[in-house]
Amino acid sequence: MVTITQQLSNFLFSCDGNWRNTLLIRDRTPGSGYMMTADRDGMPLLMEVSTFNQLTGECVDPAECCGELALDVFESVYAKYLLWRCPSAQEHSLRSICIRE
């Protein structure tokens, strides 16, 4: 089983150790969102901004991310990936695949 520390390490390795190299995916809830990078195979790695803040003690400023992607655009582009990765259609797609404790 991969620990949250290992997942955080993989996430940071994939964005060259700097969360500013991630894309911000804004959630439907104001003030929440996800940071996205890609692993060495090009698969998306996602982490909730609040989880990253809690684990690292850093305060992520969404304006400092390298780009922004709307949630519906992400879900459209990665529709097939989400279909295979999400345990059920009822579960929130990003929450089910993101790094969390």
Side-chain angles (χ1 to χ4, degrees):
M1 181 169 172
V2 180
T3 67
I4 188 68
T5 304
Q6 291 169 319
Q7 292 177 39
L8 177 61
S9 176
N10 291 339
F11 181 82
L12 288 170
F13 179 81
S14 295
C15 63
D16 293 328
N18 190 341
W19 60 264
R20 290 171 182 86
N21 294 328
T22 65
L23 286 174
L24 178 72
I25 301 172
R26 291 214 184 262
D27 198 351
R28 293 178 181 101
T29 308
S32 65
Y34 301 85
M35 295 182 297
M36 183 183 101
T37 188
D39 68 11
R40 67 176 185 250
D41 296 322
M43 295 296 180
L45 291 174
L46 294 118
M47 180 173 279
E48 284 186 274
V49 171
S50 60
T51 301
F52 186 84
N53 291 344
Q54 180 183 2
L55 292 173
T56 65
E58 284 197 55
C59 184
V60 172
D61 180 357
E64 292 184 29
C65 290
C66 70
E68 188 173 319
L69 196 60
L71 178 61
D72 59 338
V73 172
F74 174 85
E75 290 175 338
S76 175
V77 170
Y78 285 96
K80 299 289 187 216
Y81 176 79
L82 293 171
L83 180 67
W84 287 98
R85 288 293 310 265
C86 293
S88 72
Q90 290 77 27
E91 189 172 345
H92 188 280
S93 58
L94 293 185
R95 185 154 291 134
S96 67
I97 63 170
C98 74
I99 298 168
R100 58 188 157 149
E101 293 183 82

